Amino acid sequence: TGTCVLPPPATQPIVRLPSPAVSSGTVTSRGAAPLRTGLARCNMALNMGLAGAALPLAAQAAFNALPTPTSAQHCCDRCEATPDCGKFTYDGPARRCTFYPGQAEPVAIPLGGMVAGELLRQLGSPG
């Protein structure tokens, strides 16, 4: 049927029955592939934030296991790899990225450390 089942490791002996309709094997996790940084191109502005609803956390969950972002460029790279992301903010003091759809509007943030960015591919340039 095309279904793939990945059960947890067995704690009891496995009884193997021959079946021509079943293929089996072992899957070994090698961890997530490293995110290439410095490749995405974005326009960025210091002391700016974005107004509008951020993408749902579920859309950003894939990056929870990655190292803490240390620059706005990391957020730019992660935004490019996130479906529906067109803009982002990088909170420098908190070292946190937040992703937004392309229609989020920039707003001035008087407190330092916040960077707002926009993917150039969202502007019609090659990405």
Side-chain angles (χ1 to χ4, degrees):
T1 63
T3 303
C4 178
V5 178
L6 298 174
T11 57
Q12 301 293 323
I14 297 174
V15 177
R16 300 187 188 275
L17 302 172
S19 173
V22 176
S23 297
S24 64
T26 302
V27 176
T28 303
S29 174
R30 294 185 183 144
L35 181 71
R36 298 176 301 159
T37 59
L39 300 178
R41 296 183 315 159
C42 297
N43 285 330
M44 297 184 217
L46 185 60
N47 296 331
M48 296 293 286
L50 293 170
L55 293 178
L57 289 178
Q60 304 179 47
F63 298 107
N64 288 342
L66 292 175
T68 302
T70 58
S71 70
Q73 183 62 51
H74 285 149
C75 296
C76 176
D77 295 333
R78 292 174 184 193
C79 181
E80 183 178 60
T82 301
D84 301 322
C85 184
K87 297 181 181 179
F88 64 90
T89 56
Y90 172 65
D91 183 343
R95 292 186 170 186
R96 179 177 54 233
C97 303
T98 304
F99 304 127
Y100 295 83
Q103 58 269 31
E105 293 295 323
V107 293
I109 304 289
L111 303 173
M114 183 73 80
V115 175
E118 179 173 18
L119 286 173
L120 289 176
R121 69 173 167 78
Q122 294 296 114
L123 300 173
S125 299

